[in-house]
Amino acid sequence: MKSFSIMLGDITKVKADAIVNAANTTLLGGGGVDGAIHRAAGPQLLEECRALNGCATGEAKITKGYRLPASYVIHTPGPIWQGGHHHEADLLRNSYLNSLKLAEANTCHSIVFPSISTGVYHFPLNLAAPIAVQTIRQFLNQATAVEAVQMICFDEETKRYYDQAFKELCSRS
Ligand code: AR6
């Protein structure tokens, strides 16, 4: 039985096969969840990221988790919100989908996402949350080795948006 849940918490504390990092295209660290993941994982994470030569928006690359409780980190740069007419929705969907595909390719059964692009990148939560939950739900409905997906929200307001989007998705299907 596959599971999908939405929780409040700190992604750096989560024990899972893979956690996802809302990175930037350099993959060389930054603020927000990216900074927290690099601090918790230790300097070896940055060393491995340096060898990856960056990552395009909406794509994903994988590293080990080092000092994190998670075995792997999947790094994906989400889109920067520029008003909504610059393929932001498609790019955000790609970030979730390519992270899930990479988890699958690395036989990760459990994967945990932060709220990609809704911090420094200013993607509106009311638009980002439905994209995230729909993409994850659709992926889990296919035959996949991924068994458990969790969204970890860092604050109550963010969690409310994801809970609402999940409720709306369930009421439609
Ligand atoms: N655990 C879970 N969620 C967190 C944590 C944490 N420890 N810390 C922050 N968040 P952001 P973005 C939430 O800004 O919008 C970086 O500098 C946060 O509250 O981290 O994709 C990168 O290097 C928000 O809900 O990511 C990029 O340059 C969510 O994570 C840029 O920011 C995403 O906020 C990416 O911006």
Side-chain angles (χ1 to χ4, degrees):
M1 185 64 187
K2 291 176 186 165
S3 78
F4 178 22
S5 56
I6 297 160
M7 311 290 285
L8 200 58
D10 179 346
I11 204 165
T12 65
K13 307 273 194 271
V14 173
K15 195 166 160 42
D17 292 334
I19 61 167
V20 176
N21 181 16
N24 59 57
T25 55
T26 71
L27 298 186
L28 297 179
V33 70
D34 194 6
I37 288 173
H38 274 273
R39 273 194 301 280
Q44 282 175 296
L45 179 61
L46 184 58
E47 217 172 284
E48 190 177 353
C49 282
R50 277 210 185 93
L52 296 176
N53 292 317
C55 183
T57 301
E59 301 295 315
K61 292 194 176 175
I62 193 164
T63 65
K64 294 197 279 285
Y66 299 99
R67 292 184 202 151
L68 289 163
S71 308
Y72 294 97
V73 181
I74 292 173
H75 307 260
T76 182
I80 299 171
W81 182 257
Q82 297 178 76
H85 299 291
H86 293 80
H87 309 289
E88 291 96 326
D90 288 341
L91 291 167
L92 187 63
R93 193 171 297 111
N94 288 349
S95 275
Y96 282 96
L97 192 56
N98 287 322
S99 297
L100 288 161
K101 285 180 178 168
L102 198 52
E104 159 118 74
N106 286 274
T107 42
C108 295
H109 301 300
S110 56
I111 171 167
V112 182
F113 283 94
S115 175
I116 299 169
S117 284
T118 68
V120 175
Y121 282 177
H122 292 297
F123 204 117
L125 266 169
N126 63 320
L127 303 177
I131 292 170
V133 300
Q134 279 166 29
T135 308
I136 293 167
R137 240 315 254 288
Q138 264 172 21
F139 188 85
L140 285 175
N141 283 344
Q142 302 165 8
T144 166
V146 176
E147 282 163 6
V149 181
Q150 204 172 76
M151 284 288 324
I152 287 272
C153 303
F154 206 46
D155 58 90
E156 302 269 1
E157 192 203 2
T158 301
K159 184 169 183 296
R160 270 198 298 277
Y161 278 96
Y162 284 88
D163 282 338
Q164 181 63 26
F166 188 64
K167 221 168 80 188
E168 279 168 20
L169 186 64
C170 292
S171 70
R172 281 200 272 125
S173 50

